[in-house]
Amino acid sequence: MNDMSRPPVAAPPKISAEDVVSFCDFFYKKTGISMDASRRYFIDRRLEERMAANDCKTFREYLALVKFQPGGGEMQALINEMTVNETYFFREDYQFQCLTRHMLDEIADRRGNNRAPIRIWSVPCSTGEEPYTIAISILENWGRANDFDIEILASDIDSRVLGRAQEGIYEARALHRVPTKVRDTYFRKLDNDRWQVIDDLRESVDFSLVNVCNPTQMARMRGIDVIFCRNLLIYFDDLSRRRAAEHFYEALNPGGFVALGHSESMSRISNIFNPRKFPEAIVHQRPVS
Amino acid sequence: MALLKAKAAENVANPASQSGVSPASLDSDDPMERRRAVQQCVEEPNPVAALLGLLREEHENIVRQAAFTELAALGTSEAAQGLAELLSNADPALRNGALEALVAMPEQAMGLLAPLAFCDDPDVRIFAVMMANELPSERTADWLIALAAKEQDANVCSNLAEAIGGTGRRDALPVLQAIIERFPREPYLAFAAETAMTRIREG
């Protein structure tokens, strides 16, 4: 068969600059995530994939599907494509040291005789490395762990990563900072390059789909003692950051803590938290009273 | 193992979702309830006036911040104008809150820069410069340079020099040099302007 006789290859659907601006605006309103229209290649590629998957010939047709599809399945698929999920165990581990050396003791001391569970929330939890790291850090490094019930909640806006998080299977490179003894205690080897978190640990973390800009979903999150929200707010604009910070305030118990990513600063977002400087990290505390 | 499964979405104590449907009162002694009342204000016929009025009466930071966030979320020119008026309020917390809320509504805030440049109060002009500094764009850089070319207050010029240094605009160099010459008895201002010029040249 010569070139002339080949069937024509379908060109990818065309997405104009106006389409991208319109999409960024829509995506922001739905998720609070500010997509920069200058990242055309990233956005176009993912939109084209979703349009092809739904057999949409034009961007307008696809946007109508996303907006009006009953059940919102395509909106979720789009969110899954547009969000970045790259992490590993014990990433920026100084914050977990801060948790087990200081924050948890403060929370436990404030509890007094009240033995309500200590509740820790990892958001976004991506594929689960962070909430499992939190669980392992507590079990390994907090001497009072057996005196309290501890609940670890883990949420993400991306439903696909939540499935992977619950499955708890990781390539060896995700475990490169995990000490051998810890790895052998909390993981089982599946094959040469894959490890799975042990069942007890996987079953102790509660994974859920949450958009931190959605007031209805955030209203379910209450009575939290520590929130790890690292490297999420950098994708938000000022207003969405403020909104998220206020949702966190309401989700936290008085005296509860928020840990942000190392390049993020709560003082540039909102003054409703008090900065707390510990030897390992600066975190942000809801005032006790 | 000390870890328990929480079933977050279903089992976590849920006062807010229940209280979300009941009306909260601005007269409550509980700041969290007043805060919730503020969040419900947006459903009222004239939320901007209600929120601005509340900001002048309320002293609890957590309630005020909710009002600022709601005003920023409304994003109207009326909200922006009301916030701009707070920039000259005697209460520094209100001034700072208004500035932060304006930064969170960039389109409306940029529209305010031109009139704020003519405000008689140099403190308000300083806030306007700080606001422009948080809204980096060619348009705000133009505004900063234009204001620096005519500004007669040394403290405003000091803030302008710092903000202009971050724009990287070489056409600002003569304006910064003019600031040094305009205030020969203010060595700190010469230092600020020279630092800005160095940043631009090295940038």
Side-chain angles (χ1 to χ4, degrees):
Chain A
M1 189 160 71
N2 62 33
D3 279 353
M4 295 296 285
S5 63
R6 280 184 188 154
V9 175
K14 286 275 177 276
I15 300 167
S16 68
E18 291 77 23
D19 291 340
V20 171
V21 171
S22 160
F23 167 73
C24 291
D25 183 48
F26 164 74
F27 196 70
Y28 167 70
K29 284 177 181 154
K30 280 285 182 187
T31 65
I33 298 171
S34 187
M35 304 284 298
D36 185 348
S38 64
R39 295 169 70 204
R40 276 294 301 271
Y41 177 74
F42 176 89
I43 297 167
D44 281 16
R45 220 177 110 206
R46 278 150 187 81
L47 279 177
E48 283 165 10
E49 282 170 9
R50 294 312 311 158
M51 288 166 70
N54 288 282
D55 202 23
C56 292
K57 301 288 182 288
T58 65
F59 173 75
R60 187 181 290 253
E61 186 187 345
Y62 178 68
L63 197 58
L65 170 74
V66 173
K67 283 182 177 172
F68 303 116
Q69 185 188 47
E74 183 52 29
M75 182 67 216
Q76 188 60 56
L78 184 62
I79 289 171
N80 294 353
E81 285 301 317
M82 290 292 172
T83 46
V84 180
N85 304 294
E86 179 73 31
T87 188
Y88 50 87
F89 284 86
F90 290 93
R91 182 179 181 179
E92 295 175 21
D93 59 352
Y94 55 88
Q95 289 189 328
F96 306 120
Q97 292 165 8
C98 184
L99 174 74
T100 55
R101 291 177 188 170
H102 306 284
M103 288 189 266
L104 286 173
D105 279 334
E106 264 200 29
I107 292 159
D109 291 345
R110 208 162 32 243
R111 282 280 199 280
N113 293 326
N114 176 359
R115 280 292 182 263
I118 292 174
R119 193 170 283 145
I120 300 168
W121 185 28
S122 163
V123 60
C125 66
S126 187
T127 42
E129 290 87 338
E130 182 175 278
Y132 291 132
T133 298
I134 292 168
I136 294 169
S137 297
I138 291 171
L139 293 171
E140 287 290 303
N141 302 320
W142 193 43
R144 299 160 76 180
N146 285 324
D147 299 341
F148 288 86
D149 289 333
I150 300 162
E151 296 176 347
I152 297 177
L153 318 177
S155 306
D156 205 286
I157 194 173
D158 181 340
S159 60
R160 186 183 46 189
V161 294
L162 288 171
R164 288 175 55 194
Q166 280 170 318
E167 194 178 41
I169 297 175
Y170 301 94
E171 292 181 5
R173 67 178 179 189
L175 278 69
H176 72 279
R177 290 180 63 95
V178 182
T180 305
K181 180 175 163 291
V182 172
R183 185 194 65 192
D184 293 344
T185 306
Y186 297 100
F187 295 83
R188 66 188 181 96
K189 194 170 186 177
L190 295 180
D191 55 38
N192 272 349
D193 194 47
R194 294 188 312 148
W195 296 77
Q196 184 170 33
V197 176
I198 58 168
D199 291 350
D200 272 357
L201 198 60
R202 285 195 297 125
E203 287 162 9
S204 69
V205 178
D206 189 5
F207 292 96
S208 62
L209 190 72
V210 173
N211 172 356
V212 299
C213 290
N214 182 317
T216 309
Q217 292 180 9
M218 286 298 293
R220 299 197 312 246
M221 309 307 292
R222 289 291 182 270
I224 313 283
D225 293 296
V226 185
I227 298 173
F228 283 87
C229 180
R230 309 191 302 170
N231 308 311
L232 171 68
L233 302 183
I234 48 175
Y235 296 106
F236 288 11
D237 72 350
D238 285 331
L239 181 58
S240 300
R241 285 188 194 118
R242 282 182 73 102
R243 279 256 189 252
E246 297 203 354
H247 288 319
F248 289 160
Y249 184 98
E250 286 162 12
L252 283 169
N253 286 326
F257 298 98
V258 181
L260 299 177
H262 73 277
S263 64
E264 299 170 309
S265 167
M266 184 63 83
S267 65
R268 290 185 64 81
I269 299 171
S270 172
N271 67 7
I272 55 180
F273 292 93
N274 295 332
R276 287 293 308 276
K277 190 173 188 303
F278 292 109
E280 298 82 6
I282 294 173
V283 295
H284 311 279
Q285 185 174 34
R286 174 174 165 169
V288 175
S289 58
Chain B
M1 206 174 307
L3 306 180
L4 291 180
K5 183 117 176 178
K7 294 199 175 149
E10 295 84 25
N11 289 355
V12 168
N14 199 356
S17 59
Q18 290 160 12
S19 58
V21 292
S22 62
S25 169
L26 286 171
D27 299 324
S28 169
D29 289 337
D30 177 4
M32 288 305 281
E33 176 156 353
R34 294 205 301 283
R35 174 181 164 76
R36 205 155 53 78
V38 164
Q39 290 163 337
Q40 291 173 355
C41 258
V42 290
E43 309 296 333
E44 290 183 9
N46 190 355
V48 172
L51 290 166
L52 289 168
L54 175 139
L55 277 168
R56 292 192 167 90
E57 301 292 323
E58 175 67 54
H59 291 283
E60 192 72 46
N61 182 47
I62 189 65
V63 186
R64 281 182 167 185
Q65 291 302 320
F68 282 128
T69 301
E70 294 309 327
L71 283 164
L74 286 166
T76 61
S77 57
E78 186 194 2
Q81 190 57 49
L83 287 165
E85 286 167 19
L86 293 179
L87 293 176
S88 53
N89 194 284
D91 181 344
L94 266 190
R95 296 199 300 267
N96 286 325
L99 175 66
E100 288 162 5
L102 283 166
V103 168
M105 46 200 302
E107 277 306 310
Q108 296 292 352
M110 288 223 253
L112 287 172
L113 288 176
L116 286 174
F118 294 101
C119 183
D120 290 338
D121 183 348
D123 287 342
V124 173
R125 296 202 300 281
I126 288 174
F127 272 108
V129 171
M130 291 164 72
M131 187 163 78
N133 195 32
E134 295 290 330
L135 303 167
S137 73
E138 284 302 300
R139 210 168 120 202
T140 50
D142 288 344
W143 180 84
L144 287 165
I145 294 166
L147 180 59
K150 66 181 182 65
E151 179 60 55
Q152 297 299 316
D153 183 274
N155 290 325
V156 181
C157 281
S158 164
N159 282 272
L160 279 164
E162 187 178 339
I164 289 172
T167 67
R169 288 268 296 259
R170 287 190 162 264
D171 59 333
L173 292 172
V175 175
L176 290 166
Q177 182 60 41
I179 286 177
I180 297 172
E181 290 159 12
R182 204 181 307 149
F183 300 95
R185 295 185 182 175
E186 302 287 2
Y188 80 96
L189 199 45
F191 176 79
E194 280 163 7
T195 302
M197 291 163 80
T198 304
R199 278 181 76 187
I200 290 171
R201 288 195 189 101
E202 291 178 353

